[in-house]
């Protein structure tokens, strides 16, 4: 049986109209897309809308829990003639200990989007898959113990912001006396049921945002049915963002074509900035713009500015990136956006602290003997080939230094068994390249570090420490405290400030001369 892309669904339906549809479909990826594909498939299998009311049943696995009832209903003949479709929506059958990191990321994203209930339910289902109970996650657990109990990777365990959010989710579940669903191997139950077969007119449609192609269930569905891939990259890498833009541009054409309208590229760029990769919000905004444009056949940037407001939740790295660029206006804009979307002011301050620490690390490296190969005009390829090996060695030396320091604090020596050669360096976030295989972000940070002197970065550390005390001990407005420290860090160096002042003076002098000239002309006209 086939494994197809969402763009091939119509061709698949045309091929099956003369014969019969497959007994099982797996539709996974972007939620908006798989909902549209599911609706298209249902309309093809049951064209009569009045019959869909009885012939199409939707069950959410996150709400129902066990699949035994779903399988029993699928194996029962319908009282009505014709096709019967049962949709298993938001299925979690592909979640395992091997790919639970994807689901964990979705839990954190839901919580950051203030969808606390959905984040809690998804988290509890994940605990069920991992066979972990809330009692195994007491409040007294250290971050490293919590990461180990949740089977997080080393990198995930070192993400302090994620660990803090997980603790909040756990507290949320406890406060509402929520419980972990009973563990069951739903994947095996479903796999055996598909292999056994369903009644002829019964069709099972499984929709989910995550599918593990390595699992036996996936291979069984592919063998006995059809897999429809609706996945769109949701990352922040340039390749992922380009894929998101390309998809939204295709969707835009489909949305505008029935109305005979087109959109300027500048207008599309602005819509993407305001909504981000939120397909439902994007579609709703295009509908607003179509209504606003009315009889005009072209939607322009002015229409977007007049109609739409920002709904995109800025990722916190946008703020830290603007801070590293010493762009006070952008940093303040992102700071306000994050506060409005529920980010705690201490989260924002912590992100700023981490960024300044990283820039200080890079600045120290640039001024060390290993960093002599760096220059602001160094091409990326040369940076990757020459500097990345030196940076990795530098990071390893820092890790080894921390290990020795920990051993000294514990009263251990190099000859102790616990300190024997080959022991892994102590875990620390004081590294420049956490992922040397992805060096481009490091390359950008090296360029940003050049905008600060070492003294300026040391001053920024002191300013952030003072802001931390003010936020925790004074009654000052948190937004005001953050604004003040952003202005202090982003303030241009003295030499640049003098140049800017001189330029402004020169421009002001030109304006004064023009005003005086117009005044003299006016006086002449009046006298005449």
């Amino acid at each position: 049986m086939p494994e197809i892309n969402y763009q091939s669904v119509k061709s698949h339906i045309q091929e099956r109209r003369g014969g019969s549809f497959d007994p099982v479909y797996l539709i996974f990826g972007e939620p908006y897309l798989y909902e549209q594909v599911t609706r298209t498939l249902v309309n093809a299998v049951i064209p009569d809308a009045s019959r869909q009311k009885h012939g199409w049943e939707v069950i959410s696995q996150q709400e129902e829990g066990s699949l035994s009832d779903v399988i029993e209903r699928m194996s029962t003949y319908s009282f009505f003639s014709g096709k019967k479709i049962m949709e298993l929506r938001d299925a979690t059958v592909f979640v395992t200990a091997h790919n639970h990191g994807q689901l964990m990321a979705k839990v954190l994203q839901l919580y950051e989007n203030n969808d606390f209930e959905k984040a809690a339910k998804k988290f509890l289902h994940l605990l069920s898959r991992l066979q972990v109970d809330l009692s195994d996650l007491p409040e007294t657990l250290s971050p490293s113990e919590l990461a180990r109990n949740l089977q997080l990777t080393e990198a995930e365990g070192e993400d302090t912001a994620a660990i803090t959010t997980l603790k909040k989710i756990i507290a949320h579940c406890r406060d509402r006396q929520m419980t972990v669903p009973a563990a069951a191997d739903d994947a095996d139950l479903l796999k055996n049921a598909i292999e056994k077969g369903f009644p002829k007119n019964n069709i099972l449609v499984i929709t989910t945002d995550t599918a593990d192609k390595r699992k036996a269930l996936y291979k069984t569905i592919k063998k006995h049915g059809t897999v429809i891939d609706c996945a769109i990259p949701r990352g922040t890498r340039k390749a992922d963002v380009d894929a998101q833009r390309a998809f939204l541009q295709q969707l835009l054409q489909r949305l505008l074509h029935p109305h005979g309208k087109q959109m300027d590229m500048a207008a599309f760029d602005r819509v993407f900035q305001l909504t981000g990769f939120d397909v439902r919000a994007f579609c709703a905004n295009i509908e607003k713009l179509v209504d606003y444009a009315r009889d005009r056949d072209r939607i322009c940037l002015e229409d977007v500015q007049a109609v739409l407001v920002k709904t995109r939740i800025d990722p916190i790295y946008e703020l830290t990136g603007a801070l590293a660029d010493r762009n006070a206006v952008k940093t303040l804009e992102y700071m306000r956006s994050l506060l409005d979307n529920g980010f705690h002011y201490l989260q924002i301050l912590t992100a700023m602290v981490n960024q300044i620490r990283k820039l200080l690390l890079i600045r120290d490296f640039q001024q060390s003997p290993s960093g002599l190969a760096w220059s602001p005009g160094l091409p990326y390829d040369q940076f990757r080939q020459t500097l990345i090996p030196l940076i990795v060695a530098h990071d390893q030396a820092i890790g080894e230094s921390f290990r020795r320091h920990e051993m000294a604090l514990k009263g251990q020596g190099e000859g102790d068994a616990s300190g024997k050669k080959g022991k892994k360096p102590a875990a620390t976030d004081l590294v420049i390249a956490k992922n040397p295989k992805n060096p481009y972000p490091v390359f950008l940070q090296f360029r940003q570090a050049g905008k600060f002197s070492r003294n300026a970065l040391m001053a920024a550390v002191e300013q952030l420490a003072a802001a931390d005390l003010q936020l925790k001990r004074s009654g000052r407005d948190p937004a005001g405290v953050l604004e003040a420290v952003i202005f202090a860090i982003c303030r241009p160096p003295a030499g640049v400030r003098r140049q800017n002042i001189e330029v402004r003076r020169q421009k002001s002098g030109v304006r004064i001369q023009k005003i005086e000239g117009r005044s003299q002309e006016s006086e002449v006209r009046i006298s005449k």
Side-chain angles (χ1 to χ4, degrees):
M1 297 293 180
E3 181 179 20
I4 62 175
N5 187 271
Y6 68 92
Q7 296 173 321
S8 305
V9 170
K10 289 185 178 179
S11 300
H12 172 80
I13 289 173
Q14 290 295 333
E15 293 171 359
R16 299 304 169 99
R17 281 193 188 279
S20 60
F21 288 90
D22 296 328
V24 58
Y25 284 86
L26 169 63
I27 310 174
F28 73 94
E30 170 62 36
Y32 174 85
L33 266 181
Y34 72 59
E35 288 173 10
Q36 296 296 314
V37 169
T38 301
R39 167 59 71 177
T40 302
L41 184 63
V42 169
N43 289 339
V45 176
I46 310 176
D48 188 349
S50 62
R51 289 197 60 254
Q52 290 180 9
K53 184 177 180 181
H54 301 289
W56 178 24
E57 184 178 0
V58 178
I59 296 177
S60 172
Q61 186 180 3
Q62 292 189 6
E63 296 175 4
E64 294 289 332
S66 175
L67 281 183
S68 55
D69 183 47
V70 177
I71 294 171
E72 184 178 347
R73 283 191 243 180
M74 272 299 300
S75 302
T76 304
Y77 286 90
S78 174
F79 287 107
F80 303 95
S81 60
K83 300 287 185 181
K84 169 187 172 183
I85 297 176
M86 180 167 288
E87 179 188 349
L88 182 61
R89 184 171 293 176
D90 301 329
T92 59
V93 288
F94 289 99
V95 179
T96 67
H98 297 290
N99 70 341
H100 77 279
Q102 296 177 7
L103 185 58
M104 186 69 76
K106 296 182 191 307
V107 169
L108 295 173
Q109 186 63 51
L110 286 169
Y111 191 88
E112 289 174 3
N113 293 344
N114 297 326
D115 197 346
F116 305 130
E117 291 301 318
K118 195 168 183 180
K121 288 181 179 178
K122 217 171 186 67
F123 179 69
L124 291 175
H125 278 286
L126 175 59
L127 293 185
S128 175
R129 293 285 172 183
L130 299 176
Q131 298 184 359
V132 175
D133 192 71
L134 285 174
S135 60
D136 300 323
L137 308 172
E139 297 178 9
T140 55
L141 275 185
S142 67
S144 59
E145 291 172 330
L146 178 62
R148 185 169 59 252
N149 286 4
L150 292 177
Q151 301 180 27
L152 301 180
T153 64
E154 183 177 346
E156 291 168 340
E158 292 176 358
D159 189 342
T160 54
I163 293 295
T164 301
T165 302
L166 286 173
K167 287 187 174 181
K168 291 179 181 178
I169 295 172
I170 294 168
H172 179 90
C173 295
R174 282 205 189 93
D175 292 343
R176 285 153 183 77
Q177 299 182 344
M178 301 173 76
T179 57
V180 178
D185 195 348
D186 290 335
D188 278 347
L189 288 175
L190 190 56
K191 171 180 171 293
N192 294 335
I194 293 171
E195 289 175 339
K196 184 178 179 181
F198 302 122
K200 184 178 179 181
N201 285 334
N202 291 3
I203 297 175
L204 175 64
V205 176
I206 305 168
T207 60
T208 179
D209 52 6
T210 303
D212 190 344
K213 297 184 179 182
R214 300 167 301 179
K215 290 198 71 172
L217 174 60
Y218 184 94
K219 296 173 183 177
T220 299
I221 294 173
K222 186 178 175 181
K223 178 180 178 182
H224 296 274
T226 297
V227 176
I228 303 175
D229 185 352
C230 300
I232 304 291
R234 300 192 69 88
T236 57
R237 298 179 306 167
K238 184 179 184 303
D240 295 342
V241 174
D242 288 346
Q244 294 164 15
R245 286 176 58 87
F247 167 73
L248 291 179
Q249 285 174 333
Q250 292 176 2
L251 179 60
L252 176 67
Q253 298 305 318
R254 292 202 297 270
L255 294 173
L256 293 181
H257 180 71
H259 304 281
K261 296 186 185 299
Q262 293 182 329
M263 178 180 285
D264 294 340
M265 184 53 67
F268 170 80
D269 290 339
R270 186 56 181 160
V271 174
F272 187 66
Q273 291 171 2
L274 293 173
T275 61
F277 190 62
D278 184 336
V279 182
R280 289 189 178 86
F282 180 83
C283 293
N285 284 338
I286 297 303
E287 289 180 10
K288 293 177 186 177
L289 291 169
V290 167
D291 291 339
Y292 183 79
R294 295 189 180 180
D295 297 333
R296 287 185 287 115
D297 60 358
R298 198 161 199 86
I299 298 172
C300 60
L301 179 60
E302 289 73 18
D303 298 327
V304 178
Q305 302 284 36
V307 175
L308 303 186
V309 295
K310 186 175 182 178
T311 58
R312 174 177 178 251
I313 299 177
D314 292 309
I316 203 160
Y317 67 78
E318 296 276 17
L319 178 140
T320 55
L323 183 73
D325 285 331
R326 290 188 108 157
N327 189 329
V329 174
K330 281 290 185 185
T331 309
L332 291 171
E333 178 185 333
Y334 291 131
M335 182 268 291
R336 282 289 178 187
S337 174
L338 291 168
L339 289 175
D340 291 343
N341 283 288
F343 273 77
H344 197 276
Y345 51 84
L346 288 178
Q347 275 183 286
I348 297 174
L349 184 71
T350 301
M352 293 166 62
V353 169
N354 291 338
Q355 180 69 301
I356 294 299
R357 290 175 72 206
K358 175 63 72 69
L359 294 175
L360 188 56
L361 273 175
I362 293 173
R363 205 76 180 107
D364 283 341
F365 175 84
Q366 289 175 347
Q367 295 175 358
S368 71
S370 299
L372 293 177
W374 163 256
S375 66
L378 189 72
Y380 169 66
D381 287 338
Q382 190 174 344
F383 173 86
R384 178 171 52 84
Q385 296 169 7
T386 305
L387 272 178
I388 283 296
L390 297 174
I391 293 170
V392 171
H394 177 80
D395 289 342
Q396 290 173 346
I398 290 179
E400 181 62 23
S401 175
F402 267 84
R403 185 182 71 82
R404 291 200 191 99
H405 182 66
E406 284 188 353
M407 289 169 56
L409 289 175
K410 295 176 182 177
Q412 298 174 348
E414 286 294 329
D416 295 343
S418 57
K420 62 186 178 181
K421 187 176 180 180
K423 182 177 174 65
K424 189 176 181 180
T428 174
D429 61 348
L430 293 177
V431 293
I432 297 174
K434 281 191 175 181
N435 181 12
K437 294 181 179 179
N438 184 23
Y440 190 69
V442 183
F443 175 68
L444 296 179
Q445 287 177 327
F446 263 65
R447 286 186 166 181
Q448 291 170 328
K451 298 179 181 181
F452 295 84
S453 67
R454 192 179 189 283
N455 289 338
L457 290 170
M458 292 300 297
V461 171
E462 294 177 2
Q463 290 156 356
L464 289 166
D468 184 63
L469 288 176
Q470 289 177 6
L471 289 171
K472 292 175 179 176
R473 295 184 180 180
S474 72
R476 289 187 58 186
D477 174 36
V481 174
L482 292 175
E483 286 175 0
V485 75
I486 287 170
F487 276 123
I489 294 172
C490 294
R491 189 180 185 190
V496 176
R497 287 201 302 275
R498 283 195 294 271
Q499 292 175 7
N500 292 341
I501 291 170
E502 184 61 31
V503 169
R504 285 198 294 271
R505 282 176 179 168
Q506 292 174 2
K507 290 182 177 179
S508 298
V510 171
R511 285 198 296 270
I512 290 169
Q513 291 174 8
K514 288 181 178 178
I515 291 170
E516 289 176 348
R518 285 198 297 269
S519 300
Q520 291 171 3
E521 289 176 8
S522 300
E523 289 175 4
V524 170
R525 287 180 190 141
I526 290 170
S527 63
K528 288 181 179 179

